Amino acid sequence: MIAEDIFQQTFRKIGLRLTKQRKAIFEYLLNNHTHPTAQEIFSNLHPMYPELSLATVYNTLEVLVENSLIQNLGSAFDESVHYDADQSPHINLICTLCHKISDYPTESINQLTMQIRSTLGFRVSGARIVYYGKCRTCLKNNI
Amino acid sequence: MIAEDIFQQTFRKIGLRLTKQRKAIFEYLLNNHTHPTAQEIFSNLHPMYPELSLATVYNTLEVLVENSLIQNLGSAFDESVHYDADQSPHINLICTLCHKISDYPTESINQLTMQIRSTLGFRVSGARIVYYGKCRTCLKNNI
DNA sequence: ATTACTGCAAAAGATTTGCACTAGG
DNA sequence: CCTAGTGCAAATCTTTTGCAGTAAT
């Protein structure tokens, strides 16, 4: 299968074995842009992979981050670390009424990132930019 | 004392009793821009206030955040939540090597905020902007 | 065949909680 | 006084770790 080859190549390139678990976790992050925590990933995959353990989820996430295949978004609002396969810095908008998280890609961030790099000599490896407030839909519906 | 009155007023306004502990913790955050964790605050205040407990530090920080007197900055990739009394919008730069958090105030944020407001119709009530990577000092020292 | 990876269960840390006691208003 | 706030210790929750067994190459 072609899809298998892509995973194989990606993992082989960085000297990692392609296990069912790693494939499942990485695939999950590629297909879901919900910024899940380790626990959420585990809960979602467990029905399909009953043999998967939470410790493996943590191990795998660490390995994927180390090899820059995914991003660690840190824990901004709850006490858990969130992960994302989307590597480009983008804005998360959290609506405090409907609790939906939406993404907002914009050029401004690249400018800001470059500014930080050049002005401060800080080597940026990631960013979490979260705005919270009330989304257009909730405002319109006067919730 | 005048200074006492300011604390009294601030706390009374939001219906909180001014205890020695709360005053000490809030004062500590106002005077130190080191973005400390609960543990760090406790360790620093304990010699002067031997009766202070870690649980009270956690309680107090929660109360102060709820009443918007301080900010919860999330973790600095070191498994602990950091706090800051600086309420003005600014960027936090977290070094993943030394775990220090530094501030970077810039006009760009106001532009970004306005852009989100006008383009998306999102009514912004707050923001947390965190960049992480390697700081100049750690890069220089080749840690 | 090797040995990197996994699952499990126990450990380690950070934070929260229940409750009797204390002190601020 | 009255009750919000505190200290303590136990509980909880997230993440890490040690080790024997399993599976990828």
Side-chain angles (χ1 to χ4, degrees):
Chain A
M1 266 184 259
I2 289 174
E4 300 303 285
D5 280 349
I6 291 170
F7 285 105
Q8 277 286 7
Q9 284 170 27
T10 307
F11 278 79
R12 180 166 294 169
K13 199 176 296 175
I14 50 185
L16 293 176
R17 289 187 182 173
L18 177 59
T19 64
K20 285 194 219 39
Q21 293 90 334
R22 284 182 177 167
K23 181 170 179 290
I25 293 164
F26 187 37
E27 208 165 18
Y28 183 85
L29 280 162
L30 288 173
N31 296 333
N32 293 275
H33 298 154
T34 52
H35 315 95
T37 63
Q39 186 60 249
E40 284 165 4
I41 294 170
F42 175 72
S43 303
N44 279 286
L45 292 179
H46 198 247
M48 258 197 293
Y49 303 84
E51 78 285 2
L52 180 66
S53 83
L54 184 55
T56 297
V57 176
Y58 277 105
N59 285 338
T60 301
L61 289 171
E62 195 187 340
V63 169
L64 294 178
V65 168
E66 272 169 12
N67 289 285
S68 303
L69 293 177
I70 64 170
Q71 248 197 107
N72 174 330
L73 296 176
S75 66
F77 292 99
D78 45 21
E79 301 309 321
S80 292
V81 174
H82 294 249
Y83 295 87
D84 191 358
D86 184 351
Q87 299 279 30
S88 65
H90 57 269
I91 298 174
N92 290 143
L93 300 168
I94 300 183
C95 178
T96 51
L97 295 176
C98 64
H99 303 292
K100 280 211 193 79
I101 302 179
S102 46
D103 290 339
Y104 176 50
T106 168
E107 246 323 286
S108 323
I109 296 184
N110 296 332
Q111 291 170 27
L112 188 56
T113 305
M114 272 160 50
Q115 194 182 331
I116 287 167
R117 245 185 262 265
S118 56
T119 313
L120 302 175
F122 189 91
R123 186 176 299 163
V124 175
S125 58
R128 188 168 199 195
I129 303 178
V130 178
Y131 273 85
Y132 49 98
K134 298 169 185 170
C135 72
R136 177 180 272 160
T137 312
C138 284
L139 287 172
K140 199 179 293 173
N141 298 342
N142 201 26
I143 295 174
Chain B
M1 266 185 257
I2 289 175
E4 300 302 286
D5 281 346
I6 291 170
F7 284 106
Q8 276 287 6
Q9 284 169 27
T10 307
F11 279 79
R12 181 167 295 170
K13 201 177 295 177
I14 49 184
L16 292 176
R17 290 186 182 173
L18 178 59
T19 64
K20 285 194 218 41
Q21 293 87 338
R22 284 183 178 164
K23 182 169 177 293
I25 293 164
F26 188 36
E27 210 165 15
Y28 183 85
L29 279 163
L30 288 173
N31 295 333
N32 293 275
H33 297 156
T34 52
H35 314 92
T37 62
Q39 188 59 250
E40 283 163 7
I41 294 170
F42 175 73
S43 303
N44 279 287
L45 293 179
H46 198 247
M48 261 196 291
Y49 303 84
E51 77 285 2
L52 180 67
S53 82
L54 184 54
T56 295
V57 176
Y58 278 107
N59 286 337
T60 301
L61 290 171
E62 194 186 340
V63 169
L64 294 178
V65 168
E66 274 169 11
N67 290 283
S68 303
L69 293 176
I70 63 169
Q71 261 195 93
N72 173 330
L73 298 178
S75 90
F77 298 85
D78 57 357
E79 310 314 323
S80 292
V81 173
H82 294 247
Y83 294 87
D84 189 0
D86 185 353
Q87 297 283 29
S88 66
H90 60 268
I91 296 172
N92 288 134
L93 300 168
I94 300 178
C95 177
T96 52
L97 294 176
C98 65
H99 301 294
K100 280 214 194 76
I101 302 180
S102 48
D103 292 336
Y104 179 50
T106 169
E107 245 324 284
S108 320
I109 296 183
N110 297 333
Q111 291 170 27
L112 188 55
T113 305
M114 272 161 49
Q115 191 183 333
I116 287 167
R117 247 185 260 268
S118 56
T119 312
L120 302 175
F122 191 90
R123 186 177 297 164
V124 175
S125 58
R128 188 156 303 149
I129 302 179
V130 178
Y131 272 85
Y132 52 91
K134 297 169 185 169
C135 72
R136 179 179 272 160
T137 311
C138 284
L139 286 173
K140 200 178 291 171
N141 297 342
N142 201 26
I143 294 174

